[in-house]
Amino acid sequence: MDDPLKPKSVPLAAETVLCFEFLLDPHKITKHLSKNSPEPSAVALLTEFISMTPDTLMPNYEFNMPASDSENISGVGPMNIDSEEKKPAAIEGLRIQRKQLALKILALKVATWLKWDLDFLEKNLPTSKQLYLLRDLLTLACGKLISIPLPADFQPVIAADGNERAARFAFTFYHRWVLRLQILKDIAMKSARPTIGNMFVPVEPLHTHFAPDIAPKDSIDYLTELCKSTEPFYVFTNETFQPLHSNSDNIKQNFDFMQQISKFELRAQIQFDMVNFYLYTKQYRLAREVVQQCYTNFLEMRREYQLKSKQPEDYIFCLLNENELESYLMACGVSMKGQTLMERFSLSQINDFNNIIEILSEDNLAREIPFFARRNVELDIECNNLRNSSEYNLLKLQVAALNVVRSIFEKGKMFACVEYFEKYKQIESWTTILDAITVLYPHCTPTDQNKLKHFVINTMYEQNSNPEYLNELKKHTLFTNVELEEIARHIVKETIVVDESAKSNDWTILTEGLPHEVSRHFDVHSKIRQLINCTDSKSVRTLLVQLASTNPLQPLWTVNPSWEIHISVKSILLSTPPSFHQDFAYVLLGKSRTQALKNEYNVALHLLGALKNETQRTEYTNLSIGPKIGKLVTWEILLLQITKCFDDWELKPVELQTIGNRCKNCLNALAANETIIPRMEIVESCVVMLLNLSEHNTVMAMDKCLPQLELPIAFAKTMSDMEKMKGPKKVSREAWDILLSMFVSIPKRTNGSGSARNSPSLPASVGLRPFLKRIRSQTLFSVCISLMGKILNLLKEDPNNDLSGEFMQLWPTNINNHTGYNGRAVSETLHWLLTEALKYYPQTLAWLKMKGDLELANNNNEAAMRCYVNALISGTEYCHSPLQRNVADDFLIRRMMRCAVNLGCFTQATILCQFMDDIDYSLVNKNLSEKSCNFTDAMDAYYNCIWDATLLEFVINLHAKRGEHSRKLEAMSIMSSLELNANNNEEIKNQAAAVRKTRFLRALAKQYLL
């Protein structure tokens, strides 16, 4: 008994016809194809008939077949065979069974029903089956076996069973197919290349896409000669191919039923195919010639069909698309239809900006051309340096003015007018704009007319009420006389006449006609003014000599109170009687100090260099203070060079080693207890510079009795211990103790009014900051940051907000009397130090992470997220390399999730869960269940950043519970992606995850960093 639950095959519909029925009744094929919706369709039948025949025809290959069949095949002589062996059908050596021959004829008959439409066949048949169909067509038309591709020296020979008309059609169809094959192969090869979109899609074997390489030259020559030929051309009809019948002995085809077509229809179709090929191969000149001929032939063909009262669907051979032909005409620039503004604009660019002014003027009203395209044309004209004629300069001005007028109607183009008047400052620029507005104004709507008027009035105000602008405006008819008077009343202002003598630096014009004493007084003050302003040592010398000749009552270095020099140098200079050398040295030292305060280090060094050369002259060496001044000036030059190096550290100064040697010499003078020693500011700068240059031994050799050097020496010992130690050993506590003592809390003090104040630690702000400001070494930065970070961790005693970074293990693990230190001062100083360090080394990941931890501890969640994202972006080389675990470990990811949750970005926190080694799905479920209140955290905006299948299931289930059907479908479509298939290997999974990680990082960078 049959199982009632067993599924049974579905019965075929009554109208369905099986393929073998057409072999039994050959005339049934025409009736079947005449139906409105035949089943199977013509394409299905064609594919089936070709598939049922052998893929390859072998010459002289014998098949077993009935004896009666061998007698019914033409072209085969009698053969001596046994009763068991039978004759096959043959066409000049081609032996084939009658059944296979019948299938081939049926396939050709179906192709004829489809009018041999190459577009249709290319879209519905693989290239391999197209080859079989072409081979059968050529073989049957020529009456003998034809192999494809045709050899280069092929000479068509028609056998007795062939037909010249049929062969001509077959070869024409073959050569048309060859031209299309070149395009088809190129497109297929490009689509077969793996890309981001199809890299996980299995690629079909190449032979399903590609055919043998066939040179198109012979096909071009054949089709060109065919278009020139005047011989009649015939095409197949449904009655041409006679299917084989079991009761008939005749297998010849009825080629007399072929239908003649006009030469216009033949040429139109062939030239259309040639144009397609020429355009694809970028032979534009040939394409332009052929497309015009094609259009002419198509019009003649259409006229012939219209005389016969036939419609386009009645065309026999020419099946081209008229709209596609029109697009080819437009592409070649020979279209007969009216062109749009954009098309005229593009042609104008090709034709050296011909009629560009007319086009842009019309577009100011129509506004079809994008504004960026107009701007590009303006820039192209400006960058064209081949022409400098007046006509070309006028063209540039007119194009720019028309773009300014167009920008009036564009939102966000407020700077176009400013840029225009910066480039073209002559009055013609304003006249050109007014001319363009006058032409446009009558055709605008009232709203646009108001915009134009407001633009003109605002421009008048912005151009500082230039009367020439108002005069030009009166020449146009944009405003009435009353409106012009109102504009003039508001923009014309009273001008204050300033005498030229007040603007001049030459005071001689004021002394003309005055008494001698008065004029001499003016002359002296003029030279004093020049002395104060000049920055050249030669000018200073000349002016001092001139002023000294006037017998001044006071020393000349007192004319400018801002010329201040250090007390040690000043005391030595003033210990001598007043003289020119004293004035010259004091003025140069004062000027150099003033220039240094302005960061004009090169000018300051030039002045000090001139003074050093002066001290080496005989007049100075004979003085008692000459050598002393020379040494002091040398050390002042060293201080300026060190300061300049600190400011230019990002540019990596090349003279660092030389400066380091000079710093050692300066410190040696201090250690030798010479009579003249460098002042303490210079010594500190030299010590810090050597510390930055990793000269630890030299710094450690300094005298510890100097309190200003305690901190640099302590850090030098720490750095030396780090170089010597092996393993996690503790370094010297000296730097720890000194730095910790700087943050001792100052007790509260109550003033007379009873108010209390708790100020930051004074040593931290006075002694520490100047040292930290001059740190430039990356390692020294890291040591200072780690020390202060360790102090802050121990003072806060909050493991959830602990700072993490490198070298943290070097420092002690406890602090006695936590309440005796100012944690706020430590936090502020550390934040400032991290900001300074990142100025010089902005991609140091440890510092970015620590700054993020510090911001998070201070509840600055957005700033913390900014630091973390910056660290991830820097660690991936701006998303150009995969994200490594040493860059984003679980500790950092959890901190980022905490920031995202605090900011209300629960979806971001959910996506970040995937970055951990083991995803915490309970945390995922908690984040997804929260209602996001941040507009930047839309859940569906991050679907393409999810690669974990379980997480996607959570999302789909959540949307299903909330009734969010569209979002659920979107999440399901993401989950069905091929690269997220659970059966993929690890390489594909990792690559899919890397792509989505990078996409998410870019989204975070766009939100937090831009």
Side-chain angles (χ1 to χ4, degrees):
M1 181 176 180
D2 295 338
D3 186 0
L5 299 178
K6 183 178 180 180
K8 300 180 177 58
S9 58
V10 179
L12 296 174
E15 62 273 10
T16 303
V17 182
L18 301 179
C19 292
F20 71 86
E21 298 184 33
F22 299 112
L23 291 174
L24 302 177
D25 185 4
H27 299 290
K28 193 171 186 177
I29 186 72
T30 304
K31 298 178 183 178
H32 176 74
L33 294 175
S34 301
K35 298 178 182 178
N36 292 331
S37 299
E39 183 60 37
S41 63
V43 177
L45 287 175
L46 186 59
T47 304
E48 186 70 21
F49 292 152
I50 296 176
S51 301
M52 291 173 66
T53 57
D55 288 347
T56 306
L57 293 180
M58 300 295 294
N60 299 324
Y61 192 92
E62 297 186 0
F63 298 90
N64 294 330
M65 57 186 301
S68 58
D69 287 350
S70 64
E71 299 173 357
N72 294 335
I73 304 301
S74 62
V76 181
M79 299 177 63
N80 296 326
I81 54 176
D82 298 337
S83 58
E84 301 293 329
E85 296 177 347
K86 311 299 177 184
K87 286 184 181 180
I91 301 179
E92 289 195 5
L94 175 64
R95 299 168 179 266
I96 189 172
Q97 293 182 358
R98 286 175 59 88
K99 174 184 175 182
Q100 295 170 354
L101 183 61
L103 288 171
K104 293 178 182 298
I105 294 174
L106 287 175
L108 295 176
K109 193 173 183 67
V110 175
T112 304
W113 181 269
L114 297 173
K115 297 184 178 181
W116 293 96
D117 187 352
L118 266 175
D119 285 333
F120 185 84
L121 295 176
E122 286 175 357
K123 293 176 183 177
N124 295 278
L125 283 182
T127 307
S128 57
K129 288 185 171 55
Q130 296 177 34
L131 282 168
Y132 302 149
L133 184 65
L134 269 173
R135 179 200 57 194
D136 296 340
L137 173 64
L138 289 170
T139 298
L140 198 64
C142 295
K144 65 176 184 178
L145 176 64
I146 302 293
S147 61
I148 294 179
L150 299 178
D153 56 348
F154 177 77
Q155 297 294 332
V157 177
I158 311 301
D161 293 331
N163 183 270
E164 185 178 356
R165 297 176 179 176
R168 198 170 183 217
F169 175 86
F171 284 119
T172 301
F173 185 80
Y174 167 79
H175 289 299
R176 289 177 55 207
W177 177 82
V178 168
L179 295 187
R180 290 171 172 260
L181 180 66
Q182 312 305 315
I183 305 174
L184 183 66
K185 285 176 59 178
D186 195 10
I187 296 174
M189 290 178 65
K190 291 179 180 178
S191 63
R193 295 171 185 163
T195 61
I196 295 299
N198 67 355
M199 63 187 304
F200 303 111
V201 180
V203 181
E204 296 184 12
L206 295 181
H207 65 77
T208 62
H209 292 292
F210 305 152
D213 289 330
I214 306 175
K217 184 178 182 305
D218 294 337
S219 299
I220 289 289
D221 295 341
Y222 179 89
L223 295 176
T224 303
E225 291 298 325
L226 184 62
C227 290
K228 297 177 182 178
S229 175
T230 57
E231 297 182 12
F233 189 84
Y234 294 85
V235 298
F236 292 127
T237 60
N238 293 327
E239 292 79 14
T240 302
F241 294 104
Q242 300 296 322
L244 298 186
H245 197 278
S246 60
N247 299 324
S248 174
D249 296 335
N250 183 25
I251 65 168
K252 289 187 177 182
Q253 306 305 308
N254 195 348
F255 295 113
D256 294 336
F257 281 99
M258 294 185 68
Q259 184 176 356
Q260 181 180 356
I261 61 172
S262 69
K263 62 180 180 180
F264 301 114
E265 185 170 3
L266 171 67
R267 293 171 182 172
Q269 180 61 59
I270 292 176
Q271 289 166 348
F272 183 80
D273 294 330
M274 293 173 68
V275 169
N276 189 15
F277 175 77
Y278 285 147
L279 287 176
Y280 193 80
T281 55
K282 300 181 181 180
Q283 302 180 55
Y284 301 121
R285 184 183 58 82
L286 293 175
R288 185 178 292 109
E289 295 175 1
V290 176
V291 75
Q292 290 177 316
Q293 300 173 11
C294 176
Y295 185 69
T296 303
N297 290 318
F298 177 77
L299 293 180
E300 291 293 333
M301 179 202 74
R302 187 171 61 181
R303 185 179 60 80
E304 290 179 351
Y305 275 98
Q306 288 176 349
L307 292 176
K308 299 176 183 178
S309 301
K310 292 186 177 181
Q311 301 299 322
E313 55 268 16
D314 298 326
Y315 296 167
I316 301 173
F317 181 74
C318 182
L319 303 177
L320 63 86
N321 189 320
E322 189 172 356
N323 293 331
E324 192 172 354
L325 176 60
E326 179 60 33
S327 66
Y328 286 169
L329 289 168
M330 292 171 57
C332 296
V334 292
S335 176
M336 302 303 174
K337 290 187 177 180
Q339 296 175 328
T340 63
L341 270 177
M342 193 64 196
E343 294 167 358
R344 292 169 57 194
F345 179 75
S346 301
L347 287 176
S348 176
Q349 290 179 272
I350 299 173
N351 298 325
D352 198 16
F353 306 109
N354 188 26
N355 296 329
I356 191 66
I357 302 301
E358 178 185 351
I359 295 170
L360 295 180
S361 299
E362 295 180 18
D363 184 64
N364 281 343
L365 182 62
R367 298 163 206 165
E368 294 180 7
I369 304 173
F371 187 76
F372 74 87
R374 296 175 55 131
R375 283 284 293 162
N376 288 339
V377 166
E378 179 183 345
L379 296 176
D380 289 342
I381 295 175
E382 289 180 2
C383 296
N384 192 344
N385 297 324
L386 299 179
R387 299 183 179 181
N388 294 317
S389 63
S390 58
E391 294 181 0
Y392 212 67
N393 292 331
L394 179 60
L395 177 65
K396 291 195 295 185
L397 178 62
Q398 290 177 331
V399 170
L402 289 170
N403 283 343
V404 170
V405 175
R406 170 64 185 277
S407 68
I408 300 173
F409 309 103
E410 295 284 333
K411 293 182 179 179
K413 302 295 185 298
M414 62 183 70
F415 298 110
C417 175
V418 177
E419 183 182 357
Y420 173 80
F421 286 107
E422 285 292 329
K423 288 181 180 178
Y424 309 100
K425 298 182 179 180
Q426 63 273 26
I427 191 62
E428 287 79 7
S429 61
W430 178 238
T431 305
T432 308
I433 287 184
L434 290 178
D435 292 340
I437 293 178
T438 304
V439 173
L440 178 65
Y441 185 84
H443 307 286
C444 292
T445 62
T447 303
D448 290 344
Q449 289 179 350
N450 289 333
K451 289 182 179 180
L452 293 173
K453 285 187 173 182
H454 287 156
F455 167 78
V456 172
I457 297 173
N458 291 335
T459 305
M460 297 286 293
Y461 279 110
E462 291 169 0
Q463 297 306 316
N464 299 323
S465 307
N466 192 334
E468 294 183 356
Y469 281 62
L470 183 60
N471 295 334
E472 287 295 328
L473 181 61
K474 292 178 179 179
K475 298 177 183 179
H476 296 76
T477 58
L478 294 174
F479 297 92
T480 63
N481 293 332
V482 177
E483 291 173 336
L484 287 173
E485 292 176 0
E486 185 70 15
I487 294 173
R489 186 171 61 83
H490 282 86
I491 67 173
V492 175
K493 299 179 181 178
E494 182 181 358
T495 57
I496 300 176
V497 179
V498 180
D499 191 83
E500 290 297 326
S501 61
K503 303 178 183 178
S504 175
N505 291 326
D506 185 10
W507 288 10
T508 57
I509 59 176
L510 300 177
T511 62
E512 295 178 358
L514 294 178
H516 175 69
E517 289 297 326
V518 177
S519 63
R520 192 176 70 84
H521 180 73
F522 271 103
D523 184 53
V524 169
H525 281 277
S526 174
K527 287 181 171 54
I528 291 175
R529 181 184 179 190
Q530 295 176 33
L531 178 63
I532 294 173
N533 293 331
C534 74
T535 57
D536 182 64
S537 59
K538 294 182 180 179
S539 301
V540 171
R541 177 186 294 275
T542 303
L543 291 170
L544 284 176
V545 170
Q546 293 176 357
L547 289 172
S549 64
T550 62
N551 298 318
L553 299 177
Q554 293 181 344
L556 293 176
W557 54 266
T558 61
V559 298
N560 188 4
S562 64
W563 289 341
E564 289 290 338
I565 62 177
H566 196 267
I567 187 64
S568 60
V569 184
K570 185 176 181 179
S571 60
I572 294 177
L573 273 179
L574 298 184
S575 64
T576 61
S579 64
F580 169 79
H581 301 296
Q582 184 190 78
D583 291 337
F584 185 67
Y586 198 105
V587 170
L588 289 184
L589 285 169
K591 280 183 171 291
S592 66
R593 183 180 178 89
T594 304
Q595 294 298 322
L597 294 175
K598 298 178 182 178
N599 294 334
E600 296 290 343
Y601 298 113
N602 292 330
V603 178
L605 288 172
H606 164 71
L607 295 173
L608 290 179
L611 180 57
K612 182 179 180 181
N613 294 334
E614 184 72 17
T615 59
Q616 296 173 356
R617 297 176 62 181
T618 307
E619 294 85 347
Y620 262 95
T621 56
N622 294 332
L623 297 175
S624 59
I625 64 169
K628 297 179 181 180
I629 294 296
K631 283 187 177 181
L632 292 176
V633 170
T634 302
W635 292 331
E636 293 295 332
I637 292 175
L638 177 59
L639 177 61
L640 273 180
Q641 290 176 335
I642 293 174
T643 307
K644 184 175 183 294
C645 282
F646 284 151
D647 286 356
D648 298 340
W649 195 271
E650 298 174 351
L651 304 178
K652 299 180 180 180
V654 295
E655 66 274 8
L656 285 178
Q657 195 61 40
T658 304
I659 294 177
N661 294 331
R662 296 183 61 191
C663 289
K664 292 180 182 178
N665 296 334
C666 179
L667 296 179
N668 290 335
L670 177 65
N673 293 323
E674 298 179 359
T675 55
I676 298 298
I677 61 173
R679 55 191 174 91
M680 189 49 60
E681 183 183 356
I682 299 176
V683 173
E684 287 184 57
S685 297
C686 290
V687 169
V688 176
M689 173 58 78
L690 291 174
L691 190 59
N692 283 312
L693 297 178
S694 300
E695 297 287 347
H696 307 141
N697 295 331
T698 306
V699 177
M700 291 166 58
M702 296 299 299
D703 188 1
K704 297 181 182 179
C705 296
L706 299 175
Q708 296 89 343
L709 302 183
E710 286 185 359
L711 194 58
I713 293 174
F715 274 105
K717 287 184 178 181
T718 301
M719 303 283 287
S720 180
D721 291 344
M722 289 175 57
E723 292 179 356
K724 295 177 183 178
M725 72 179 186
K726 296 180 180 179
K729 297 181 180 178
K730 301 297 181 182
V731 296
S732 172
R733 287 181 56 108
E734 190 172 344
W736 170 272
D737 294 335
I738 293 175
L739 202 65
L740 188 61
S741 65
M742 292 184 174
F743 294 101
V744 175
S745 294
I746 298 178
K748 296 182 179 179
R749 296 179 181 179
T750 305
N751 54 22
S753 60
S755 62
R757 178 175 62 90
N758 187 13
S759 63
S761 177
L762 187 60
S765 58
V766 175
L768 182 60
R769 285 286 179 95
F771 169 71
L772 297 179
K773 282 182 179 179
R774 290 179 288 187
I775 292 179
R776 296 297 181 270
S777 170
Q778 188 172 11
T779 307
L780 186 56
F781 265 129
S782 297
V783 171
C784 294
I785 289 171
S786 65
L787 193 155
M788 298 186 66
K790 188 70 172 182
I791 292 176
L792 189 60
N793 286 344
L794 296 177
L795 292 179
K796 284 193 172 183
E797 292 185 319
D798 184 5
N800 292 329
N801 289 321
D802 272 355
L803 310 183
S804 62
E806 51 186 357
F807 305 135
M808 299 284 281
Q809 75 280 359
L810 301 178
W811 310 110
T813 57
N814 64 328
I815 295 179
N816 298 326
N817 187 17
H818 297 76
T819 59
Y821 299 97
N822 192 337
R824 181 170 67 90
V826 177
S827 177
E828 291 175 356
T829 306
L830 177 58
H831 188 278
W832 171 86
L833 181 59
L834 284 167
T835 305
E836 285 292 311
L838 288 171
K839 285 182 183 178
Y840 300 100
Y841 306 97
Q843 293 184 342
T844 307
L845 303 185
W847 301 348
L848 288 169
K849 294 177 183 179
M850 180 175 281
K851 189 176 181 182
D853 295 342
L854 183 60
E855 297 286 5
L856 180 60
N858 294 332
N859 293 324
N860 298 327
N861 295 287
E862 187 171 356
M865 197 69 169
R866 186 181 301 113
C867 295
Y868 292 141
V869 174
N870 195 357
L872 298 185
I873 294 296
S874 301
T876 57
E877 297 180 0
Y878 298 96
C879 299
H880 283 86
S881 61
L883 186 64
Q884 304 296 332
R885 296 304 303 168
N886 61 338
V887 178
D889 53 3
D890 285 359
F891 180 81
L892 175 66
I893 297 303
R894 288 190 179 275
R895 293 270 169 120
M896 294 181 68
M897 292 166 56
R898 182 175 157 193
C899 291
V901 170
N902 292 340
L903 292 171
C905 300
F906 298 102
T907 305
Q908 291 180 6
T910 303
I911 303 297
L912 285 169
C913 288
Q914 301 175 108
F915 286 72
M916 296 191 297
D917 291 334
D918 297 322
I919 301 179
D920 188 351
Y921 290 108
S922 61
L923 192 58
V924 169
N925 192 20
K926 178 182 177 182
N927 290 333
L928 286 177
S929 60
E930 296 287 346
K931 190 71 173 179
S932 179
C933 57
N934 198 320
F935 71 93
T936 61
D937 195 56
M939 181 176 291
D940 47 359
Y942 292 104
Y943 284 153
N944 56 358
C945 301
I946 302 177
W947 64 86
D948 183 72
T950 307
L951 180 54
L952 278 171
E953 291 176 359
F954 271 110
V955 173
I956 294 171
N957 184 40
L958 178 66
H959 289 320
K961 288 181 178 179
R962 294 178 178 176
E964 299 168 345
H965 184 65
S966 60
R967 290 187 174 183
K968 184 185 77 172
L969 293 180
E970 186 175 354
M972 292 176 66
S973 66
I974 297 294
M975 191 173 182
S976 63
S977 302
L978 292 176
E979 60 268 29
L980 298 183
N981 194 324
N983 297 322
N984 291 337
N985 56 34
E986 289 300 321
E987 182 180 359
I988 295 177
K989 290 180 180 179
N990 293 337
Q991 191 168 7
V995 170
R996 284 157 176 78
K997 283 181 181 180
T998 301
R999 187 179 296 144
F1000 182 64
L1001 287 181
R1002 290 182 187 275
L1004 291 181
K1006 186 177 181 181
Q1007 177 179 347
Y1008 292 104
L1009 300 183
L1010 298 182

